[in-house]
Every structure is written in C-alpha cells, then in structure tokens.
Amino acid sequence: MKKVNCLIVEDEPLARNLLAEYVKKVPYLNLLEACPNAMAAMEIMRQHHVDLLFLDIQMPVLNGFEVIENLGEERPQVIFTTAYDQFAIRAFETHALDYLL
C-alpha cells in the first residue's frame, strides 16, 4: 500500500502534538513534519511532495485560507483542523476534504 505523505500545520503545541500522535497511529500515513506555522510548512512543501495537509485556520502571519491561496491549483488535499466552527462553509468552498473541530 502506498503511503500518504502528510503535513500538519498548527500553531498550538498541544494540538500539533496530539494530531501528530493520531497520524502516527494510522499505518498508511507518513508524517513528514508537524509545523508550528505556515511559513515552515511552505518550505517543507517546496522540498517534498505532500498528499494531505492538516491545516489550522487561525495562525499568525498567514492563516489557513491564505496558505491555500498561495498553493494554487497544485495543492494537496486539505483537512482543516480548528476550534472554530464559523469557518466551515468557507473551508468547504475551498474544496476541503474535511473539517475537524
């Protein structure tokens, strides 16, 4: 079975670590990195092929929607991970795979 390369982008350390632990338990997911901000994630995505992006919305510098805009059409599948339900409609308008509260 082909592994799915994934990347976590979450500025809250506890949430980032929890997501990483969950991803590591799924045998077909290959966690490339758990990044604390969008800028670090963009650098990883320049260096590696990412199939799946677990992406927080509320982050400093670039928010999750701005990350998506910067990636353009050749972007990975995205699962938004956030504590805020008010962004769900906008997330699905970006063709998000899922929205994890």
Side-chain angles (χ1 to χ4, degrees):
M1 170 184 276
K2 180 183 182 254
K3 294 262 187 173
V4 175
N5 286 333
C6 60
L7 181 65
I8 295 169
V9 189
E10 169 63 64
D11 64 321
E12 294 294 329
L14 291 174
R16 184 173 59 248
N17 292 337
L18 184 61
L19 281 168
E21 289 303 313
Y22 286 144
V23 167
K24 289 175 186 175
K25 291 179 180 182
V26 180
Y28 61 86
L29 292 180
N30 177 42
L31 180 60
L32 295 171
E33 188 80 39
C35 300
N37 59 60
M39 302 312 287
M42 299 292 272
E43 184 60 33
I44 295 293
M45 287 187 278
R46 279 192 275 280
Q47 298 172 12
H48 301 280
H49 173 75
V50 176
D51 300 302
L52 179 61
L53 187 60
F54 291 91
L55 183 60
D56 188 18
I57 293 176
Q58 294 285 81
M59 296 184 293
V61 183
L62 289 177
N63 68 42
F65 296 117
E66 292 168 327
V67 170
I68 294 299
E69 290 169 10
N70 281 309
L71 293 176
E73 295 298 316
E74 296 298 318
R75 65 181 173 97
Q77 292 289 315
V78 175
I79 297 175
F80 282 103
T81 58
T82 184
Y84 305 98
D85 62 357
Q86 70 261 31
F87 301 114
I89 292 173
R90 184 171 176 200
F92 286 112
E93 288 173 346
T94 69
H95 306 289
L97 183 63
D98 211 340
Y99 191 88
L100 182 62
L101 280 176

